[in-house]
Amino acid sequence: MSTKVYLNFYNTNAAWVIKSLSKPHSYVQSAAYMKIKVAPNYDDIEIPEKKKLRMMDKVPPPVLHTASNLAVQQRSEAKYCRGPEPIHNKLNYGQYGVQALDGGYLSHKHMDAWRLYINSKLTNVMFAEWRIEPPWKPVTKKGTGKRMGKGKSSISHYVTPVKAGRILLEVGGEIEYKQVYKMLRHVAAQCPFDARIISAEILQKEEEQKNWIATNNLNPFSFRYCARNNFLGIKKDLSPYDLKWSGKY
């Protein structure tokens, strides 16, 4: 009777597991060639001498070097931040950057916060460069508790006007887009206007898509066509800027 129980016990799966655990196992690590990613090539990247962002001046240099240290007030003209950016809308180093989607004003507080954050994240094989000028446009502000009127108030601070499509700063070096996105998403979120993180590939795809739509579009009734021909009397509700930029800005 005991012999039968002994044989039945070793014929079960539980007994096989116990015997297998008692033997030492050896594991050999192996990797297939398909799963290995090709390392990117950074031979064509040009790294400038000054890798970090420089500090911006709060006050324009001509005002600093005058005897009275005073500047003339200016009108709050919106033409400096309205419409698309015609010049600084491409990447000079062809890697990554932050692009403004709307117009607005940047103060020294924004620039200094970005400078401290990005410089702390840069490594020896990375660089960052400004694509905007220091604050130059004066902004006036009345004191607390003062009444309206009695002329224009004194200058409070200076700002930098930015148009839609303007490149704010560039980041490059031996770094990939995933790493740049984690670093620059805070900069885009702190902008007083809508901004995004771009790369040279993103700009190239958008340009190709824009050209493809322009050549293959068969619908003649675009915003520009309807506005120029005054469909349904729409001109009375449009501004001159809608006619100029087809309602985009």
Side-chain angles (χ1 to χ4, degrees), residues 16-243:
W16 180 83
V17 172
I18 293 172
K19 291 179 66 178
S20 62
L21 291 176
S22 62
K23 296 181 180 179
H25 293 271
S26 60
Y27 296 94
V28 179
Q29 294 183 357
S30 61
Y33 182 75
M34 310 173 51
K35 298 180 181 180
I36 300 176
K37 294 184 178 180
V38 180
N41 188 10
Y42 300 108
D43 295 338
D44 56 341
I45 294 177
E46 298 180 2
I47 298 179
E49 296 181 359
K50 296 182 180 180
K51 300 180 182 180
K52 295 188 176 183
L53 296 175
R54 62 184 178 88
M55 183 181 294
M56 295 287 195
D57 296 330
K58 287 186 178 181
V59 183
V63 180
L64 291 173
H65 297 299
T66 55
S68 61
N69 198 17
L70 296 176
V72 181
Q73 296 92 336
Q74 296 181 8
R75 294 183 299 174
S76 56
E77 296 175 324
K79 66 180 182 180
Y80 295 111
C81 58
R82 178 183 285 145
E85 173 62 38
I87 301 174
H88 303 283
N89 53 10
K90 301 294 182 183
L91 295 171
N92 289 339
Y93 294 94
Q95 285 194 275
Y96 317 104
V98 180
Q99 185 183 36
L101 298 178
D102 295 327
Y105 297 100
L106 289 175
S107 63
H108 181 265
K109 295 181 179 179
H110 298 105
M111 302 177 187
D112 201 43
W114 298 345
R115 180 184 63 85
L116 294 174
Y117 178 76
I118 293 178
N119 288 347
S120 64
K121 300 292 183 180
L122 293 179
T123 60
N124 296 330
V125 294
M126 297 167 56
F127 69 92
E129 185 172 332
W130 290 113
R131 291 294 304 276
I132 53 177
E133 59 272 7
W136 59 270
K137 183 175 175 55
V139 177
T140 60
K141 183 180 180 181
K142 287 187 177 295
T144 306
K146 289 190 176 182
R147 295 185 177 181
M148 300 292 291
K150 295 184 180 179
K152 196 170 181 65
S153 57
S154 58
I155 295 175
S156 172
H157 59 279
Y158 292 85
V159 295
T160 300
V162 173
K163 292 186 177 182
R166 177 71 181 263
I167 306 297
L168 305 179
L169 55 91
E170 288 191 45
V171 177
E174 298 181 8
I175 186 172
E176 297 183 3
Y177 181 77
K178 294 182 180 179
Q179 299 171 326
V180 169
Y181 184 84
K182 293 180 180 180
M183 181 173 60
L184 296 182
R185 62 181 179 180
H186 301 287
V187 176
Q190 291 177 358
C191 284
F193 41 78
D194 293 338
R196 64 170 182 170
I197 304 168
I198 60 170
S199 63
E201 291 78 10
I202 293 175
L203 294 180
Q204 184 179 2
K205 288 181 181 179
E206 290 180 354
E207 188 69 22
E208 292 175 356
Q209 184 180 6
K210 181 180 177 181
N211 296 334
W212 186 89
I213 292 174
T215 55
N216 298 294
N217 184 23
L218 301 177
N219 183 16
F221 297 100
S222 60
F223 184 94
R224 183 184 183 88
Y225 181 81
C226 296
R228 291 292 177 90
N229 293 276
N230 195 20
F231 276 41
L232 301 176
I234 196 176
K235 272 190 176 181
K236 63 181 180 181
D237 298 324
L238 298 179
S239 67
Y241 301 105
D242 293 331
L243 298 175

